Amino acid sequence: MDATQIDRVRRFNRTVTERVGVLHDHYLGRDRPVGEARLLWEIGSGERSQGQDVRRLRERLGLDSGYVSRLLRSLEADGLVTVEPQPRDRRVRTVRLTDAGRAERALLDRSSDELAGSLLQPLNAAQRARLVAAMAEVDRLLTAGTVTLETVDPDHPDAQHCLRAYFTELQERFETGFDPALSLLPDAGELRPPLGLFLVARLHGEPVGCAGLKLPPGDAPADVKRMWVAPHVRGLGLGRRFLAELEDRAVRHGRGVLRLDTNKALSPAIGLYRSFGFQEVPAFNDEPYAHHWFEKRIAGD
């Protein structure tokens, strides 16, 4: 890692923490530190009558359970939230804002707007535009860095969520619609070891993409299957990251060729494959929804 880059990141972190006031115990002028304020804001973000799952909140914020429990106890003692176990599983806790909590969150929103305005106010119009654009880029790149990839069983609920979304999108985008029963998509068993694997991407604990690798017996080419990225996280480089991970896995399994097929309607995906080093080849299967077939020679050790 470049030492100069590390130094600049640390300098950026110091500037931001000082400028936005997270070093103070009374964040945004309220009687609570930034951790409590952020958790309170997150609980009320899109809050539904059934409340928020504490585990999901913890995953979304990347905090350990002990720290979240301490924050919740403090907010509960102040009468801002209620925390209750679910009747069917008392290990699962649900947190809700009280009326006082909703009022406090509204004050935090107004104070946050004022803080954002104070960051922009001293700058001229051109500087404001540059700062906002730079912040958007930093946000995008930091978000990309928080996405995790995990190998799961294709029947895992997160895998099934992604596959349903994938099939729905194909149905909407293909000229002829899409029926999984007519496709040559592998059965789930073909994406389990030793015949394959299935990856799920998560952002703040939520599934946002998937990709499978089919590993036929012997040294036959490995096939990329069922690769999908949720629309709201496209542009974070996740498709390229999936391909790099699948290529690495294929090499580790002794394969020298990685291949895939795709539909002409998926032009962004076609561009990605070409930029990643795939070359178009004659059809190597009878997939009824495919118009393009690609291969990439991958180097083993």
Side-chain angles (χ1 to χ4, degrees), residues 214-225:
K214 187 177 176 182
L215 296 164
D219 59 357
D223 292 281
V224 176
K225 294 292 184 182

Side-chain angles (χ1 to χ4, degrees), residues 57-292:
L57 284 172
R58 190 172 68 241
E59 291 172 355
R60 193 151 69 240
L61 294 172
L63 300 175
D64 69 74
S65 59
Y67 182 55
V68 170
S69 293
R70 289 194 296 274
L71 294 178
L72 288 175
R73 283 197 297 271
S74 179
L75 293 174
E76 196 171 21
D78 288 344
L80 302 179
V81 304
T82 60
V83 183
E84 300 173 348
Q86 291 187 5
R88 294 182 179 179
D89 186 348
R90 298 187 64 83
R91 294 171 301 176
V92 179
R93 296 182 298 158
T94 300
V95 57
R96 298 176 179 85
L97 295 183
T98 63
D99 289 341
R102 281 185 282 274
E104 178 71 10
R105 188 182 185 279
L107 287 174
L108 286 172
D109 265 339
R110 287 196 291 273
S111 298
S112 293
D113 286 346
E114 292 170 2
L115 174 60
S118 74
L119 297 177
L120 296 172
Q121 193 277 330
L123 307 177
N124 60 41
Q127 290 173 322
R128 291 175 187 175
R130 286 172 55 198
L131 178 60
V132 171
M135 286 177 165
E137 179 68 1
V138 169
D139 178 66
R140 186 181 72 84
L141 293 174
L142 289 178
T143 299
T146 62
V147 175
T148 61
L149 300 186
E150 182 184 358
T151 303
V152 303
D153 189 274
D155 286 334
H156 187 284
D158 286 352
Q160 290 298 306
H161 167 85
C162 290
L163 290 172
R164 285 192 299 270
Y166 170 59
F167 295 154
T168 298
E169 182 167 351
L170 297 189
Q171 170 66 27
E172 295 170 350
R173 298 187 65 176
F174 287 3
E175 292 179 354
T176 58
F178 178 75
D179 182 352
L182 301 179
S183 174
L184 295 183
L185 288 170
D187 294 331
E190 296 180 82
L191 295 177
R192 295 188 180 103
L195 298 177
L197 59 94
F198 197 76
L199 300 174
V200 164
R202 296 186 180 93
L203 175 61
H204 307 314
E206 299 293 334
V208 294
C210 63
L213 185 68
K214 187 177 176 182
L215 296 164
D219 59 357
D223 292 281
V224 176
K225 294 292 184 182
R226 303 187 185 188
M227 194 171 89
W228 172 80
V229 175
H232 69 282
V233 297
R234 289 173 190 171
L236 299 182
L238 185 51
R240 185 172 293 272
R241 186 173 167 190
F242 269 135
L243 290 176
E245 182 66 22
L246 294 178
E247 179 177 327
D248 180 67
R249 300 291 188 98
V251 168
R252 280 191 262 163
H253 282 84
R255 307 308 164 103
V257 174
L258 188 63
R259 64 186 187 180
L260 56 87
D261 58 70
T262 191
N263 187 280
K264 64 182 180 181
L266 305 179
S267 53
I270 292 171
L272 169 64
Y273 302 144
R274 287 181 170 142
S275 70
F276 199 75
F278 282 87
Q279 302 291 323
E280 192 154 5
V281 297
F284 49 74
N285 62 25
D286 298 321
E287 171 58 58
Y289 293 106
H291 301 102
H292 301 275

